Amino acid sequence: MLKKRARANCAGLLLAWCSLVGCTALSADHDARRISANTYAAAAGFDRFDLPHRTLPIVGFQKERHSDQLVILIEGDGTAWASRRRASTDPTPRKFVGLKIAAQIKNAHVIYLGRPCQYVTQPALSECDSTHWTNGRFKPEIVDRYADLVRSLAKTHPAKHIEIAGYSGGGVIAALVAAKHSGPVSLTTIAAPLDVQRWIDHHGVSPLSGSISPMSHLTALCTVPQKHFLGALDAIVPVETVDGYRERMIKCNLEAGYTVIADQDHDCCWTSPNNAMLTQLGSRQAWAGEEQE
């Protein structure tokens, strides 16, 4: 009996020790991702700012320039899933592609916004709900949070031209925000699944419960000057999954706003010096004659 108890106690201690090591490893990984992004942003001349919220905290970085051009760029989904069926405990991106794209924008005041709960501290992360970066990533309350932020930032940083941009899932948020914005804006998306349902059907994944799609806001989007960049080799957001959105925008005479880039996949290499997208993102000339009155 004593031997059995001893073995049980040892097993319990081993399980507790493994749990502790596991938590420590997760914490270290989280901190490493935050530090990596902070270091990269600082080296690129960006200042970090935090937008606290009980359940939807957002971290941003901005690079101030004396310019009448303001670009607000929203990050992709980040590390949304740990596996096909298990949500990640931390959505902070490992590659932060959106931040790297923002760092390449020239001659404009640039504000980068992470997605809810990305880059936040461990205490803030513990209050987050994983549905906000998985099935509910495009819920109305999340879109409203970004719409409010964009309105506030537009007032704080008055500009003749405001460009709302987004990478991957951030492009979906950007489109939905542009549809709701009351002032003149333009929209740029990069590798974004703008027809959410067609994207879901293509991959055979579960519906994004409660999420909304740009396809439900086509009337408003038809009045927004927009450009969309897609990778010819993108297996995550294949060009054909955006066809439904593109076909509807053709009716609004916005066909010219689509560029498919050869040899480009979902995350590599949007920041390549010869990437056609970089010459247009944040460029006043790219929107000449297309701004709303």
Side-chain angles (χ1 to χ4, degrees):
M1 178 67 73
L2 290 176
K3 287 184 178 181
K4 287 183 179 180
R5 286 180 179 174
R7 283 198 297 270
N9 289 336
C10 286
L13 289 172
L14 180 61
L15 179 60
W17 180 83
C18 289
S19 298
L20 177 62
V21 171
C23 289
T24 302
L26 288 173
S27 177
D29 179 57
H30 168 76
D31 290 341
R33 281 187 257 171
R34 284 199 308 122
I35 292 169
S36 179
N38 288 340
T39 301
Y40 178 88
F46 283 79
D47 295 316
R48 175 179 167 135
F49 60 93
D50 289 72
L51 300 164
H53 189 276
R54 188 176 65 83
T55 57
L56 297 172
I58 292 173
V59 171
F61 297 95
Q62 71 172 322
K63 189 170 188 176
E64 295 194 35
R65 291 192 177 98
H66 296 292
S67 173
D68 59 4
Q69 299 280 108
L70 172 62
V71 179
I72 300 172
L73 192 146
I74 303 171
E75 183 58 85
D77 297 335
T79 312
W81 295 92
S83 67
R84 188 174 177 86
R85 298 182 181 276
R86 184 165 59 90
S88 169
T89 57
D90 178 8
T92 301
R94 289 184 167 84
K95 297 182 179 180
F96 42 86
V97 175
L99 178 57
K100 292 176 180 177
I101 292 172
Q104 301 301 315
I105 299 173
K106 311 297 182 185
N107 305 317
H109 186 109
V110 182
I111 297 176
Y112 163 91
L113 297 175
R115 300 282 287 283
C117 301
Q118 294 179 350
Y119 311 112
V120 300
T121 62
Q122 284 284 356
L125 184 61
S126 67
E127 299 294 322
C128 290
D129 181 348
S130 64
T131 60
H132 290 153
W133 58 82
T134 52
N135 292 336
R137 70 189 74 173
F138 306 135
K139 279 187 172 182
E141 57 263 38
I142 293 177
V143 176
D144 289 344
R145 172 101 166 105
Y146 281 94
D148 290 343
L149 288 175
V150 169
R151 278 193 291 269
S152 177
L153 292 169
K155 291 177 181 178
T156 307
H157 304 276
K160 290 183 179 179
H161 184 188
I162 300 173
E163 182 174 355
I164 303 175
Y167 164 71
S168 193
V172 175
I173 297 289
L176 292 166
V177 170
K180 293 172 67 70
H181 195 71
S182 58
V185 294
S186 60
L187 167 68
T188 299
T189 73
I190 303 135
L194 294 166
D195 188 339
V196 175
Q197 188 57 53
R198 186 173 290 194
W199 178 80
I200 289 171
D201 293 342
H202 173 84
H203 287 289
V205 295
S206 300
L208 301 186
S209 305
S211 288
I212 54 179
S213 168
M215 295 296 289
S216 300
H217 294 73
L218 294 171
T219 301
L221 284 165
C222 268
T223 67
V224 178
Q226 52 195 276
K227 298 183 186 299
H228 307 283
F229 298 91
L230 301 162
L233 304 180
D234 191 342
I236 295 177
V237 182
V239 173
E240 60 269 22
T241 63
V242 186
D243 284 347
Y245 182 88
R246 179 175 181 172
E247 289 163 4
R248 292 299 300 268
M249 289 300 106
I250 289 174
K251 297 179 181 179
C252 308
N253 297 316
L254 294 173
E255 163 67 5
Y258 288 82
T259 303
V260 178
I261 301 177
D263 302 323
Q264 171 72 54
D265 63 21
H266 191 67
D267 55 13
C268 181
C269 301
W270 290 109
T271 56
S272 172
N274 60 351
N275 193 301
M277 179 269 299
L278 290 179
T279 63
Q280 298 188 51
L281 189 59
S283 168
R284 185 185 313 172
Q285 290 73 23
W287 298 100
E290 296 184 25
E291 294 184 27
Q292 299 170 325
E293 297 297 330

